Amino acid sequence: MIDTIKFKDTEYPKFQTLGNAAQFAIPYAKHVCTGYGVDIGCSKKEWSFPGSIPIDSCFEDGSDAYNLPFKDNTLDYIFSSHCLEHLPNWVDALDYWTTKLKRGVLKRGGTLFLYLPHYSQQYWRPWNNRKHIHCFNGEEIVDYLQDSDLYTNIFKSDPDLNNSIMIMAQKEI
């Protein structure tokens, strides 16, 4: 039997409430997140993207989403799963993260890989889940990436069984 939770007359798989959402995105991210990179918002180090440097606000070194201990243009990738919806200003966070990714002029630039809860999951909407400040359908993130003129090869998936979306982009300038 599949464990479910019921919220507003809709049933969802219970695993959506247990954390470690990254496990659903990691098989895809392994194809584009290679080299030297970070996992921002992993909550627990054991849940972080394999081979990444885990970053979360609860870590002892003082690092968090707005205070990365890396020089600009040094990271090959930034992987972030179910983090952006918790940050007060997701645009400021993405602007800041972009500065840390390598530029791609003659070779591939840094990769931004976001795994985000989708608006279709009612339980995750900010007015239902007070831990979330934002809830995305993905188009607003894609618009931001396109408008920044810093990213190419932007891809957004449809919601998966975890009611989450993947957004990947390559930093070019």
Side-chain angles (χ1 to χ4, degrees):
M1 179 169 173
I2 299 172
D3 287 335
T4 61
I5 61 164
K6 192 169 189 171
F7 185 79
K8 294 190 177 184
D9 297 325
T10 303
E11 288 198 45
Y12 299 100
K14 186 174 181 178
F15 59 73
Q16 292 180 359
T17 65
L18 303 178
N20 195 15
Q23 67 182 318
F24 299 100
I26 285 173
Y28 302 100
K30 284 181 177 180
H31 294 280
V32 296
C33 294
T34 58
Y36 181 69
V38 297
D39 180 337
I40 302 175
C42 58
S43 297
K44 297 181 180 182
K45 292 182 181 187
E46 61 268 20
W47 289 354
S48 65
F49 182 78
S52 71
I53 298 166
I55 303 290
D56 205 88
S57 59
C58 62
F59 291 162
E60 298 81 33
D61 67 1
S63 59
D64 64 33
Y66 298 103
N67 183 31
L68 300 176
F70 307 98
K71 292 181 181 178
D72 289 355
N73 304 306
T74 57
L75 297 175
D76 293 311
Y77 68 87
I78 291 176
F79 175 89
S80 181
S81 172
H82 285 246
C83 172
L84 209 56
E85 68 276 10
H86 297 276
L87 302 179
N89 190 324
W90 66 268
V91 173
D92 283 352
L94 288 178
D95 284 348
Y96 177 64
W97 296 356
T98 298
T99 68
K100 300 303 176 186
L101 289 171
K102 287 183 178 177
R103 294 180 178 149
V105 178
L106 297 176
K107 62 179 187 172
R108 186 184 86 140
T111 299
L112 177 66
F113 189 103
L114 304 172
Y115 189 54
L116 304 165
H118 190 264
Y119 185 81
S120 62
Q121 215 296 13
Q122 294 180 29
Y123 173 74
W124 285 340
R125 295 177 185 169
W127 48 93
N128 296 326
N129 182 332
R130 301 294 183 192
K131 294 179 183 178
H132 292 178
I133 299 170
H134 312 284
C135 197
F136 305 101
N137 65 24
E139 295 306 319
E140 60 276 88
I141 305 294
V142 170
D143 286 348
Y144 158 84
L145 295 172
Q146 290 172 336
D147 287 350
S148 75
D149 290 329
L150 296 174
Y151 288 94
T152 60
N153 299 323
I154 301 167
F155 173 80
K156 179 187 79 67
S157 73
D158 290 328
D160 62 12
L161 185 59
N162 196 39
N163 282 78
S164 299
I165 53 173
M166 289 174 246
I167 299 175
M168 298 175 268
Q170 206 81 53
K171 183 178 174 187
E172 289 298 326
I173 297 174

